[in-house]
Amino acid sequence: MTRPVVAVTADLSTVNWTIWGDVHVALLPWEYMEKVHEAGGAPVLVPPIPDAVDDVMARVDALLMSGGADINPALYGAEREKFTFPPHEARDTAELAALAVAERRGIPVLGVCRGLQLISIIRGGTLDQHLPEHSPVVPGKYEPREIQVKPDSLLGRSLGPTATVYCHHHQGIDKLGAGLVATAWSDDGVIEGAEAEDPSAPFLAGLQAHGELGSDTLPLFEAFIEAAKKTRAERG
C-alpha cells in the first residue's frame, strides 16, 4: 500500500535566500515533514491560500495542522491583548477551511500548538492570550517539559502516562471547545492535549507542545498515520 498523503498547513513569510532578498515563501519547519515521513506518511504543504484549500483537501488522506503565530482573538470573541501578536488572517481562514473539509470528509486530524487551539476555537473554545510562566526563557529555543497524560485516551495509548515534549508557546486553551476532552496537562494544570470526546469519532487530537520534535511523540504520529490508512481503505 502506498503511503497516505498528509496535508500539512504552512505559513507565509519573507526570507533572505542565498542571493535573493525579501522572498515570499510558504514556510514550514522541516521537522514536520520528517516526522510525518518517519511515521509512514507522505507530507504535502497546504499554503495559506483560502481559495485553494478545498481542492487540496479533496485529494489527501489526513490533515496535520502545524504550529505558528497567534490566532486572531476575534475568532473567539475577544480583543487582542498586549502580548498577542498581530493576526495572519489568510492563514487563519485557510486553516479553518482545511479543518472544515477534513471533518466533513471524516479524515484524521492532528493539531500541533496553534493547530490544537484552532480545533478548540472552531467548537466555541477560547484562549488565555498570555501565559508568561509558559513562555520560553530564550525566544526561538524550544524547552523540554514533562506532561501528564490520561492513560485511557487516544493520547495516552500513544504517549503513555507521561511524555517529554518540547514547548514554545505563550498562549493556551482557556475554555475547551464543545465535543472535546482534555487528556494531557502540564504540572500547573494548563491543557497540553485534547481529543474528540466520542471515542468512536474519526481520529481528532492535538498537542499544545511541538509534537514534531523529540522521540516521545512519534507513536502519536504513527497512530495518526494508521488512522489515515484505515480511513482510506474504508473509502475504497
Side-chain angles (χ1 to χ4, degrees):
M1 181 180 290
T2 58
R3 291 171 177 262
V5 178
V6 179
V8 189
T9 58
D11 206 348
L12 174 65
S13 188
T14 303
V15 302
N16 295 322
W17 193 352
T18 62
I19 64 172
W20 307 106
D22 297 332
V23 178
H24 296 296
V25 297
L27 184 68
L28 181 76
W30 183 247
E31 288 83 359
Y32 286 98
M33 312 296 273
E34 284 187 317
K35 187 60 70 75
V36 169
H37 182 264
E38 186 179 4
V44 297
L45 291 186
V46 182
I49 304 174
D51 290 347
V53 167
D54 282 4
D55 289 329
V56 174
M57 291 302 302
R59 293 165 169 81
V60 301
D61 302 303
L63 172 64
L64 173 58
M65 300 179 69
S66 64
D70 295 344
I71 297 164
N72 188 348
L75 292 175
Y76 50 94
E79 297 289 333
R80 186 160 72 93
E81 298 178 0
K82 177 180 178 181
F83 294 102
T84 299
F85 292 100
H88 186 331
E89 294 186 5
R91 181 175 183 184
D92 289 345
T93 301
E95 290 190 337
L96 288 172
L99 179 58
V101 174
E103 295 203 67
R104 185 169 67 245
R105 294 185 60 213
I107 62 176
V109 177
L110 178 62
V112 169
C113 196
R114 71 170 264 136
L116 168 61
Q117 294 170 5
L118 275 172
I119 290 170
S120 180
I121 286 169
I122 202 173
R123 291 167 169 76
T126 62
L127 300 183
D128 186 328
Q129 292 190 43
H130 191 52
L131 297 169
E133 66 276 15
H134 279 245
S135 298
V137 174
V138 179
K141 298 291 184 181
Y142 293 98
E143 296 171 359
R145 177 179 299 144
E146 187 174 275
I147 60 172
Q148 310 303 313
V149 188
K150 182 181 178 183
D152 186 20
S153 66
L154 189 158
L155 291 179
R157 289 188 291 275
S158 300
L159 303 177
T162 63
T164 298
V165 295
Y166 290 84
C167 300
H168 192 295
H169 62 268
H170 77 110
Q171 296 189 338
I173 290 173
D174 181 16
K175 172 190 171 186
L176 191 61
L180 301 175
V181 60
T183 52
W185 303 264
S186 60
D187 288 342
D188 58 3
V190 170
I191 294 173
E192 293 285 349
E195 60 195 66
E197 188 173 24
D198 180 358
S200 67
F203 186 108
L204 176 67
L207 280 177
Q208 178 60 61
H210 280 264
E212 77 278 13
L213 303 174
S215 60
D216 281 13
T217 54
L218 178 59
L220 176 59
F221 278 74
E222 290 174 335
F224 171 57
I225 297 302
E226 284 303 313
K229 291 178 180 178
K230 181 180 178 182
T231 302
R232 184 175 64 179
E234 290 172 348
R235 292 200 314 266

